């Protein structure tokens, strides 16, 4: 995968991010995250990224929340607030890895949208740890407590 992300149109980028080639899509995903830190170049793709949040695979859902919430500082149209329930739903995902990734992205979100802190805190109270394997449940709990501490800063 080329490091030159600029060679792709937004349409090609979306296709590659949804690719079944996990390695290529993961590498591209990281390049998009880096770009989202410094510019709003991919904010116009938000709606396409949002579709990924409802993806069939956990990999797609994790990519979707990351792509959307990595755009929090550029969200002038309040698309995150308008779709907040969709993002919160990933805190209750069947896959604990998806929950853990979502928790990480909520930390990023709060830096740019601290007014959502109380809603995030309420959502954390409804996570059912019993649906995860004994090996994953403590990890999810630890991540939730870490996010809870972050939320209380706001």
């Amino acid at each position: 995968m080329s490091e030159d992300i600029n060679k792709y149109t937004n349409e090609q980028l979306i296709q590659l991010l949804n690719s079944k080639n996990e390695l290529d899509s993961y590498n591209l995903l990281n390049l998009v995250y880096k770009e989202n830190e410094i510019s709003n170049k991919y904010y116009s793709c938000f709606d396409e990224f949002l579709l990924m949040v409802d993806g069939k695979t956990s990999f797609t859902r994790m990519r979707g929340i990351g792509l959307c919430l990595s755009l929090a500082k550029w969200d002038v149209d309040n698309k995150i607030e308008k779709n907040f329930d969709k993002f919160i739903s990933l805190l209750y995902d069947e896959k604990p890895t998806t929950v853990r990734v979502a928790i990480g992205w909520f930390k990023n979100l709060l830096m740019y949208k601290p007014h959502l802190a109380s809603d995030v805190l309420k959502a954390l109270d409804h996570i059912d740890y019993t649906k995860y394997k004994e090996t994953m449940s403590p990890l999810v709990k630890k991540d939730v407590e870490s996010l809870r501490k972050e939320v209380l800063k706001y």
Side-chain angles (χ1 to χ4, degrees):
M1 165 100 9
S2 169
E3 290 292 318
D4 185 12
I5 194 171
N6 295 315
K7 74 178 188 176
Y8 302 112
T9 65
N10 285 355
E11 185 176 289
Q12 290 171 323
L13 182 84
I14 299 298
Q15 287 175 341
L16 289 167
L17 288 168
N18 282 296
S19 168
K20 292 187 186 213
N21 183 330
E22 296 295 334
L23 183 59
D24 281 352
S25 58
Y26 178 76
N27 289 334
L28 183 60
L29 179 70
N30 285 321
L31 294 174
V32 175
Y33 289 157
K34 287 178 184 174
E35 185 64 34
N36 287 349
E37 289 176 16
I38 59 172
S39 83
N40 67 348
K41 178 178 180 177
Y42 296 113
Y43 185 65
S44 62
C45 297
F46 186 97
D47 294 336
E48 288 82 6
F49 295 159
L50 186 63
L51 294 173
M52 296 170 73
V53 175
D54 290 326
K56 291 180 183 176
T57 69
S58 60
F59 290 115
T60 303
R61 294 190 300 274
M62 288 187 285
R63 281 186 223 135
I65 194 169
L67 289 163
C68 288
L69 298 189
S70 70
L71 289 166
K73 77 170 155 181
W74 312 111
D75 186 23
V76 296
D77 300 320
N78 294 317
K79 292 181 177 191
I80 290 173
E81 286 86 345
K82 291 173 187 170
N83 295 283
F84 194 66
D85 289 343
K86 191 174 287 224
F87 301 122
I88 287 293
S89 74
L90 292 186
L91 292 176
Y92 314 121
D93 198 88
E94 63 197 41
K95 301 285 188 179
T97 306
T98 303
V99 176
R100 297 185 75 203
V101 167
I103 287 169
W105 282 109
F106 277 106
K107 289 179 182 179
N108 181 75
L109 170 71
L110 293 173
M111 288 190 297
Y112 302 104
K113 295 189 176 269
H115 61 278
L116 295 174
S118 64
D119 294 323
V120 172
L121 192 59
K122 287 178 203 170
L124 294 177
D125 291 335
H126 299 288
I127 295 176
D128 177 13
Y129 303 104
T130 63
K131 67 182 178 180
Y132 306 120
K133 292 180 181 178
E134 289 179 23
T135 55
M136 288 304 291
S137 184
L139 297 173
V140 173
K141 283 181 184 177
K142 181 181 174 188
D143 291 344
V144 166
E145 289 312 309
S146 174
L147 178 56
R148 191 181 308 275
K149 287 178 186 174
E150 285 293 315
V151 169
L152 293 174
K153 292 178 183 176
Y154 297 96

